[in-house]
C-alpha cells in the first residue's frame, strides 16, 4: 500500500455519495484507491491491495508512514467509521470494508433513523484520536504534525459545541486558533480583516458566533454583537504576545490542548440518547429531551444538545450502571445510571434513565473503561487520576470535600458554568435506605444493581406517583 496526504475544500451534500470510497469499491482483487479522512479538511490517499481483506492494523502502518507519525505516538490515533448517524471506533482486527458492508444493519440496530435516512447514509473512514489514549501523554508529544492532528480534532469539537465550555474558555481558545491560523504579532487591522474574511464561526463555537441574543440583541443590532466578539478575540490574541516572545506553533497547540483538558469530557466517545423532562403537572404527559452521552477513561457525562451544557457528570467510582432491552413492543433500550444524591436534605440514591438504542454499546464501553483502569498499575493510573483532578479543579468542582458517605460529593460550585452538573433539572427515580446512611457505590459489581446482594439492609423505593415512576 502506498499513501500520500492531500487537502481539499469542504464537500457539499451533493458530493456525499463519493465519501464512502471504502464501501463502494467494486473490484477487490486489484489495487483500490481509499481516502482516510482527517480533521482539518485533509485526507490520506492510499492505494490498497486486496481491500476486502485488509485490516485496521495493516491500514495503520500505511497511514502512519504517510503522516510521519513517530512510534512513540502511534497509539494516539485510531480508525473510526463515521457518519451523521453513527460513529464507531474500530479495533485492530476489524476489516473496514466488511464493516462498511454491514453499515445499514448497524444503523437499524443502534439508531432511530428512518428507513430513508438509513438507505442514504454512507460512512467515511477517519483517522482520529484514540478514545483510550490518556490525556497526560498528549502533552508529552513534541512532533508538530501529531500535535496538529490533535489540535484540529479538538478545535472541531469546540466549534461544533460537542465540548461545551464557558466564555473564558472559548475566548481563550479562539485567540489561540487565531494565532495558529494567522501567526503571531500581526497588526490589528490585518487581524480584523482575517476574522471577517474567515468569519467568527471559524474561531468560536457556532452557537456563540451565530446566536441571535434575543430581543435585546435585535434592538442594539447584530453588528454590535459581532463587533463585541471580534474585540474579545483580539484581546485574547494580544495576551499571547504580552511576554514579548512570539510562541511557536507547538507551544500554542500545547496551550490549546491544556485548556481543552480542563473540560472533563475531552476525549470522550459520544452516543445519542434521550432523557425524561421533569413533569410540569400531574396530568401532563412526560416529554423527553435529546442528550449526548460522553464516555471516557474517567467517567460519564450527559449533556444537553440544545443548550450546550452538562446535565450530569460522574466519575466511575461515583456510579453504578446497567442496561435493559425492550421486553414488549413499544419499550425502549435503556442505560441506567445510579448515583448518590440529595432530596430535600435527605441522602438518596438517584436513578437516571437514558433511552437509546446505543444503550448496550454504552454499557459495554463503560465496563471496558472500568476494567482498563482496574488493571492499570503504577505511574500510568496515577497520572490519569491526577489529570482528572486537575480537570475537575479547573472546571469548578469541589472534589476535595469528601465526607460522611465514603466519599460522597460536596455541593458543586459555579452552577452557572456549563461544565457543572445540573442534577436538580433531571427527572430521576429516588431510593432511600430506610432513613439510614447510604454507603458509597462501587462501579465494579458481580451483578446488576437491581439484583445486588449485600450484607447490609436492602434499598427500598420511595413512594412516588405513577407519573414520577416513568421518569
Amino acid at each position: 500500500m502506498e499513501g500520500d496526504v492531500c487537502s481539499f475544500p469542504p464537500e457539499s451534500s451533493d458530493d456525499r455519495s463519493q465519501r464512502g470510497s471504502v464501501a463502494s469499491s467494486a473490484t477487490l482483487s486489484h489495487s483500490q484507491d481509499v481516502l482516510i479522512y482527517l480533521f482539518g479538511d485533509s485526507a490520506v490517499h492510499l492505494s490498497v491491495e486486496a481491500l476486502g481483506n485488509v485490516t485496521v492494523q495493516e491500514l495503520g502502518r500505511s497511514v502512519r508512514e504517510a503522516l510521519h507519525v513517530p512510534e512513540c505516538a502511534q497509539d494516539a490515533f485510531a480508525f473510526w467509521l463515521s457518519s451523521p448517524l453513527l460513529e464507531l471506533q474500530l479495533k485492530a482486527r476489524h476489516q473496514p470494508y466488511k464493516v462498511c458492508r454491514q453499515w445499514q444493519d448497524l444503523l437499524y440496530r443502534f439508531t432511530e433513523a428512518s428507513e430513508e435516512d438509513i438507505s442514504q447514509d454512507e460512512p467515511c473512514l477517519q483517522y482520529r484520536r484514540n478514545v483510550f489514549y490518556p490525556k497526560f501523554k498528549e502533552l508529552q508529544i513534541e512532533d508538530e504534525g501529531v500535535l496538529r492532528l490533535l489540535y484540529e480534532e479538538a478545535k472541531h469539537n469546540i466549534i461544533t459545541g460537542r465540548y461545551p465550555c464557558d466564555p473564558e474558555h472559548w475566548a481563550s481558545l479562539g485567540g489561540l486558533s487565531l494565532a495558529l491560523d494567522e501567526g503571531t504579532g500581526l497588526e490589528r487591522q490585518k487581524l480584523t480583516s482575517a476574522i471577517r474574511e474567515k468569519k467568527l464561526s471559524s474561531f468560536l463555537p457556532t452557537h456563540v458566533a451565530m446566536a441571535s441574543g434575543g430581543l435585546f440583541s435585535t434592538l442594539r443590532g447584530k453588528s454590535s454583537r459581532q463587533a463585541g466578539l471580534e474585540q474579545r478575540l483580539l484581546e485574547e490574541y494580544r495576551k499571547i504576545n504580552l511576554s514579548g516572545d512570539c510562541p511557536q506553533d507547538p507551544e500554542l497547540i500545547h496551550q490549546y490542548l491544556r485548556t481543552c483538558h480542563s473540560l472533563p469530557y475531552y476525549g470522550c466517545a459520544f452516543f445519542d440518547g434521550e432523557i425524561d423532562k421533569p413533569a410540569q403537572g400531574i396530568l401532563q404527559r412526560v416529554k423527553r429531551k435529546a442528550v449526548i452521552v460522553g464516555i471516557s477513561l474517567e467517567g460519564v457525562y450527559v449533556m444537553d444538545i440544545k443548550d450546550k451544557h452538562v446535565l450530569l457528570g460522574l466519575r466511575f467510582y461515583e456510579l453504578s450502571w446497567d442496561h435493559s432491552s425492550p421486553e414488549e413492543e413499544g419499550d425502549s433500550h435503556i442505560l441506567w445510571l445510579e448515583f448518590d444524591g440529595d432530596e430535600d436534605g435527605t441522602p438518596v440514591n438517584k436513578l437516571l434513565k437514558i433511552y437509546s438504542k446505543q444503550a448496550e454499546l454504552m454499557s459495554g464501553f463503560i465496563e471496558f473503561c472500568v476494567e482498563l483502569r482496574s488493571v492499570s498499575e503504577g505511574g500510568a493510573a496515577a497520572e490519569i487520576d491526577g489529570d482528572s483532578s486537575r480537570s475537575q479543579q479547573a472546571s469548578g468542582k469541589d472534589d476535595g470535600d469528601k465526607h460522611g458517605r465514603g466519599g460522597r460529593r460536596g455541593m458543586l460550585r459555579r452552577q452557572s458554568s456549563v461544565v457543572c452538573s445540573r442534577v436538580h433539572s433531571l427527572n430521576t427515580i429516588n431510593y432511600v435506605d430506610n432513613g439510614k446512611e447510604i454507603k458509597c457505590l462501587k462501579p465494579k459489581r458481580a451483578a446488576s444493581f437491581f439484583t445486588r446482594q449485600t450484607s447490609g439492609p436492602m434499598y427500598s423505593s420511595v413512594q412516588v406517583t405513577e407519573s414520577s415512576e416513568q421518569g
Side-chain angles (χ1 to χ4, degrees), residues 214-315:
L215 177 61
F216 180 74
S217 178
T218 303
L219 291 175
R220 69 176 184 172
K222 183 179 179 180
S223 59
S224 176
R225 172 178 169 77
Q226 297 291 307
L229 291 174
E230 288 180 6
Q231 178 63 28
R232 188 155 189 178
L233 261 184
L234 293 173
E235 290 174 357
E236 292 295 332
Y237 178 87
R238 283 199 294 268
K239 290 179 183 178
I240 297 173
N241 300 288
L242 286 179
S243 62
D245 299 325
C246 293
Q248 300 299 310
D249 283 4
E251 184 180 349
L252 294 174
I253 293 175
H254 273 138
Q255 290 182 37
Y256 195 100
L257 292 176
R258 274 196 295 268
T259 302
C260 288
H261 287 184
S262 70
L263 305 173
Y265 28 79
Y266 174 82
C268 280
F270 292 95
F271 306 84
D272 295 324
E274 292 181 325
I275 62 173
D276 289 323
K277 291 183 177 180
Q280 300 298 317
I282 297 177
L283 300 179
Q284 185 178 2
R285 183 179 179 183
V286 176
K287 298 180 180 180
R288 293 182 182 176
K289 176 197 294 284
V291 297
I292 186 170
V293 182
I295 303 174
S296 71
L297 288 172
E298 299 164 9
V300 181
Y301 305 90
V302 183
M303 291 172 274
D304 189 310
I305 292 178
K306 180 181 178 182
D307 295 331
K308 309 297 183 187
H309 61 226
V310 174
L311 295 169
L312 179 66
L314 296 169
R315 302 282 293 280

Side-chain angles (χ1 to χ4, degrees), residues 341-349 405 430-439 457-463:
D342 188 275
E343 191 71 24
D344 297 328
T346 301
V348 299
N349 269 18
R405 298 161 59 192
N430 298 330
Y431 291 81
V432 297
D433 189 13
N434 296 326
K436 297 182 180 179
E437 190 174 62
I438 298 175
K439 296 181 180 179
M458 300 298 294
Y459 294 115
S460 59
S461 176
V462 176
Q463 297 300 317

Side-chain angles (χ1 to χ4, degrees), residues 322-326 332-336 359:
D322 205 346
H323 80 278
S324 58
S325 301
S332 302
H333 296 265
I334 297 175
L335 176 71
W336 303 82

Side-chain angles (χ1 to χ4, degrees), residues 117-131:
D117 288 342
I118 288 177
S119 66
Q120 296 178 358
D121 190 70
E122 197 168 353
C124 65
L125 189 59
Q126 288 184 311
Y127 190 66
R128 50 193 269 199
R129 190 184 188 280
N130 179 2
V131 72

Side-chain angles (χ1 to χ4, degrees), residues 136 376-388:
F136 76 92
S376 297
E377 296 179 353
E383 286 282 0
I384 292 175
D385 288 329
D387 219 22
S388 304

Side-chain angles (χ1 to χ4, degrees), residues 6 85-86 110 255 341 378 382 437 440 455 460 463 468:
C6 57
L85 300 181
L86 186 64
F110 294 121
Q255 290 182 37
E437 190 174 62
C440 182
S455 57
S460 59
Q463 297 300 317
S468 297

